[in-house]
């Protein structure tokens, strides 16, 4: 069954969607959307480095994404507003990454494959990495769910309950880096943030509790992966962007109906 | 029995010292209010007590196994986060539906269980925060300007609820407040803070302390009028005489 490239692509897409959904909910609730972007853009530098040193792309992207996420966490609240800091870090790491890639003479790199993903070339090994990473992220978030939620609502409440909200922030940061690293192959660095945010945002108008929002987001993400791949096959469009397009259309549809029912039209 | 002891506490942010040499203690069952002008370190003191701020000197000790109920100054529920009152009540502790309903009733807001947090009015929201803090049967309740944003009637009835909670459960209460007039009448003890403890004692003692008057002046008439008339102080009021 795994011999078919479409099957492998579909499984890879679903794996990323399942990891991205609960994490994406926290990204949306904590208004960290740009944080996801910055971490993802930094990953292109990781790709360049891993190609230069002939490491696994997954590992290189993971390390650089992690360094980026930790740097932003440490630097925040030291003179620059968060969005300024992220804007500087995200785009400069993307630029450094692109410049670094150009130095890699001798290796022909299909940059597009890393910017927009190359889901149709997912191998069995890639599948293991993607599902392993997804399982790790989901396990972390399920384990810390209640603490993450409390820390998201109010830091002092977390302290008064007896745990450190900074540690919970670190768990989210770590999960984000892992998700970015496994999603590069599927949607590429430019669209990872979309996989985080769009399914979660689309789930908002349907959900009445944080838990259902995460589950609905996972369902929307998984459906987008399947439907996006299918339409990419039928219309011969790029796979990663097609997945994001499906998610965006779902977002528009659900938000519109949600808005209509709330305003009583 | 002493629940929380603060000894020689100093808190510094960078080069800026916000608290210096603060000593205080909270006994079981008492209502203590911290008053002080903006920037006097009230919130820093509370943050140090719950462990959110590391002291630069001194320390805070809690009775072993002390259960703290915390009511934050304001809690922002992002519009993108769907959460019902019932779910919010179970945020930090596993409790039954009946206990949730009982805690809400005790806080004066029954029948809100199924509402979304984002739909509550300011007064309802603060009472839900109070109910959540009480659900674990805390030994001490900490309130950080819990009535901010409520109108005078709303905050007066909120403080009445606090008093009722103490009567029923016997839990101690430590609160920060700006609303001197309400607070002074609801407290057993008042601590006046301005980077250090200026003065402390019963509301009447603090209200007449020169340190307190130097901070709040006599313009806060309501607070002082509750306890005494203003004929016996000797501040410089020549500008008033000229009027």
């Amino acid at each position: 069954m795994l011999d078919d490239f479409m099957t492998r692509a579909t499984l890879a897409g679903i794996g990323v969607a399942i990891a991205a959904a609960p994490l994406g909910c926290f990204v949306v609730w904590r208004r960290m959307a740009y944080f996801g972007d910055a971490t993802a853009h930094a990953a292109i530098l990781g790709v360049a480095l891993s190609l230069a040193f002939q490491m696994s792309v997954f590992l290189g992207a993971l390390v650089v994404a992690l360094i980026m996420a930790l740097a932003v966490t440490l630097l925040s609240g030291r003179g620059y507003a968060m969005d300024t800091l992220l804007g500087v870090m995200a785009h400069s790491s993307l630029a450094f990454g692109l410049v670094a890639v150009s130095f890699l003479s001798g290796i022909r790199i299909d940059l597009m494959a890393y910017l927009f993903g190359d889901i149709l070339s997912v191998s069995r090994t890639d599948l293991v990495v993607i599902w392993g990473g997804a399982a790790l992220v989901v396990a972390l978030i399920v384990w810390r769910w209640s603490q993450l939620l409390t820390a998201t609502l109010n830091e002092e409440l977390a302290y008064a309950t007896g745990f450190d909200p900074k540690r919970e922030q670190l768990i989210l940061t770590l999960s984000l880096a892992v998700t970015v690293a496994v999603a590069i192959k599927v949607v590429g660095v430019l669209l990872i943030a979309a996989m985080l945010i769009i399914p979660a945002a689309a789930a908002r108008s349907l959900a009445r509790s944080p838990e259902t929002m995460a589950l609905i987001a996972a369902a929307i993400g998984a459906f987008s992966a399947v439907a996006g791949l299918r339409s990419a096959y039928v219309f011969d469009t790029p796979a990663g962007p097609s997945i994001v397009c499906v998610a965006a259309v779902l977002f528009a549809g659900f938000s519109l109906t949600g808005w209509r029912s709330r305003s009583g039209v | 029995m002493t629940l929380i002891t603060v000894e020689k506490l100093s808190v510094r942010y960078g080069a800026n010292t916000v608290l210096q040499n603060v000593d205080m203690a909270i006994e079981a069952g008492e209502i203590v209010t911290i008053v002080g002008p903006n920037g006097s370190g009230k919130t820093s003191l509370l943050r140090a007590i719950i462990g959110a701020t590391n002291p630069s000197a001194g320390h805070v000790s809690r009775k072993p196994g002390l259960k703290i109920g915390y009511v934050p100054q304001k809690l922002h529920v992002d519009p993108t986060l769907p959460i019902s009152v019932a779910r919010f009540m179970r945020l930090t502790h596993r409790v039954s539906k009946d206990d949730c309903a009982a805690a809400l009733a005790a806080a004066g807001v029954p029948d809100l269980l199924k509402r979304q947090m984002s739909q509550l009015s300011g007064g309802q929201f603060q009472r839900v925060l109070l109910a959540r803090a009480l659900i674990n049967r805390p030994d001490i309740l900490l309130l950080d300007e819990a009535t901010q944003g409520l109108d005078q009637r709303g905050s007066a009835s909120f403080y009445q609820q606090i008093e009722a909670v103490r009567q029923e459960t016997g839990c101690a209460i430590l609160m920060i407040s700006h609303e001197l007039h309400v607070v002074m009448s609801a407290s057993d003890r008042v601590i006046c803070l301005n980077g250090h403890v200026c003065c402390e004692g019963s509301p009447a003692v603090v209200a007449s302390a020169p340190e307190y008057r130097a901070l709040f002046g006599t313009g806060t008439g309501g607070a002082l009028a509750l306890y005494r008339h203003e004929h016996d102080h000797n501040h410089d009021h020549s500008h008033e005489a000229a009027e």
Side-chain angles (χ1 to χ4, degrees):
Chain A
M1 183 184 93
L2 292 179
D3 290 339
D4 177 25
F5 74 96
M6 274 303 273
T7 311
R8 290 197 301 268
T10 308
L11 286 175
I14 293 174
V16 167
I18 288 174
L23 186 60
C25 286
F26 282 105
V27 168
V28 168
W29 295 334
R30 299 172 74 113
R31 308 197 166 189
M32 292 164 59
Y34 213 21
F35 192 85
D37 245 352
T39 309
H41 288 176
I44 200 73
L45 186 59
V47 169
L49 292 176
S50 44
L51 290 172
F53 296 108
Q54 288 169 358
M55 296 186 310
S56 116
V57 168
F58 168 75
L59 203 64
L62 178 66
V63 169
V64 175
L66 204 55
I67 291 173
M68 173 71 179
L70 291 175
V72 172
T73 310
L74 286 176
L75 287 174
S76 66
R78 301 204 177 166
Y80 292 105
M82 192 67 165
D83 63 335
T84 306
L85 198 61
L86 286 172
V88 171
M89 306 272 288
H91 298 116
S92 49
S93 58
L94 183 60
F96 274 109
L98 295 175
V99 169
V101 168
S102 76
F103 278 119
L104 297 174
S105 54
I107 312 170
R108 256 188 63 86
I109 307 165
D110 181 9
L111 200 56
M112 288 290 277
Y114 295 105
L115 290 178
F116 294 106
D118 192 10
I119 191 173
L120 298 180
S121 73
V122 164
S123 68
R124 283 163 182 250
T125 321
D126 291 335
L127 261 188
V128 171
V129 170
I130 289 171
W131 276 86
L136 175 71
V137 168
V138 170
L140 269 176
I141 291 183
V142 168
W143 172 48
R144 303 302 297 174
W145 181 264
S146 159
Q147 286 88 343
L148 284 169
L149 200 56
T150 306
T152 298
L153 279 165
N154 189 281
E155 263 193 17
E156 276 88 12
L157 208 57
Y159 280 116
T161 312
F163 61 89
D164 187 348
K166 291 201 196 81
R167 197 181 58 189
E168 309 306 321
Q169 167 84 43
L170 195 64
I171 287 172
L172 281 185
T173 305
L174 184 75
S175 306
L176 201 58
V178 172
T179 306
V180 163
V182 300
I184 283 185
K185 192 96 186 185
V186 176
V187 286
V189 294
L190 291 184
L191 290 176
I192 287 170
M195 279 306 276
L196 285 167
I197 295 157
I198 299 178
R204 170 60 186 101
S205 53
L206 303 176
R208 303 272 301 159
S209 77
E211 292 77 15
T212 51
M213 181 160 153
L215 290 175
I216 295 172
I220 290 174
F223 177 83
S224 306
V226 174
L229 276 172
R230 185 71 208 153
S231 50
Y233 183 76
V234 173
F235 301 114
D236 193 23
T237 49
S242 302
I243 294 174
V244 174
C245 286
V246 172
V249 168
L250 290 177
F251 168 77
F254 290 141
S255 312
L256 215 60
T257 47
W259 174 75
R260 276 176 62 128
S261 65
R262 263 201 302 279
S263 58
V265 179
Chain B
M1 183 178 39
T2 308
L3 302 179
I4 292 174
T5 313
V6 174
E7 282 174 297
K8 305 221 176 302
L9 178 79
S10 295
V11 172
R12 209 176 297 156
Y13 299 127
N16 191 11
T17 302
V18 286
L19 284 175
Q20 198 152 31
N21 238 349
V22 172
D23 284 302
M24 63 175 278
I26 313 291
E27 303 296 324
E30 66 173 344
I31 299 185
V32 178
T33 302
I34 302 171
V35 298
N38 288 335
S40 60
K42 301 187 297 287
T43 295
S44 298
L45 178 55
L46 212 61
R47 281 178 61 91
I49 288 175
I50 60 173
T53 297
N54 287 327
S56 53
H59 69 276
V60 175
S61 52
R62 308 180 195 170
K63 189 184 77 126
L66 183 74
K67 281 193 285 185
I68 294 179
Y70 181 76
V71 181
Q73 185 173 54
K74 62 172 187 236
L75 191 140
H76 172 74
V77 178
D78 198 272
T80 58
L81 175 55
I83 186 165
S84 67
V85 172
R87 177 67 186 86
F88 180 74
M89 295 291 285
R90 289 182 284 114
L91 190 61
T92 52
H93 297 93
R94 285 182 181 280
V95 282
S96 72
K97 265 230 155 87
D98 290 344
D99 284 349
C100 285
L104 285 169
V109 278
D111 311 323
L112 286 185
L113 268 182
K114 288 193 176 146
R115 293 273 286 279
Q116 288 282 307
M117 290 296 285
S118 51
Q119 297 170 339
L120 302 181
S121 72
Q124 287 173 329
F125 199 100
Q126 289 311 112
R127 279 162 189 268
V128 169
L129 288 182
L130 176 65
R132 194 214 60 84
L134 289 171
I135 204 157
N136 192 30
R137 301 187 182 286
D139 306 303
I140 182 166
L141 200 56
L142 303 179
L143 299 98
D144 185 0
E145 305 217 25
T147 57
Q148 223 180 32
L150 299 191
D151 60 19
Q152 208 157 12
R153 219 173 112 201
S155 67
S157 93
F158 187 84
Y159 284 117
Q160 272 165 14
Q161 201 79 50
I162 302 266
E163 174 77 46
V165 161
R166 197 257 305 253
Q167 295 277 333
E168 276 165 38
T169 66
C171 87
I173 289 154
L174 174 64
M175 55 189 177
I176 289 179
S177 187
H178 263 127
E179 290 160 300
L180 301 171
H181 53 290
V182 189
V183 158
M184 293 295 240
S185 60
S187 314
D188 299 325
R189 202 150 59 85
V190 175
I191 296 173
C192 178
L193 199 69
N194 190 25
H196 58 281
V197 176
C198 296
C199 54
E200 69 170 298
S202 71
V205 167
V206 169
S208 60
E211 296 90 344
Y212 175 84
R213 292 187 177 188
L215 277 179
F216 292 103
T218 50
T220 53
L224 306 176
L226 280 175
Y227 300 100
R228 53 188 301 158
H229 293 287
E230 296 295 282
H231 300 307
D232 55 354
H233 60 295
N234 50 9
H235 284 248
D236 181 11
H237 283 287
S238 50
H239 57 287
E240 285 176 13
E243 279 169 16

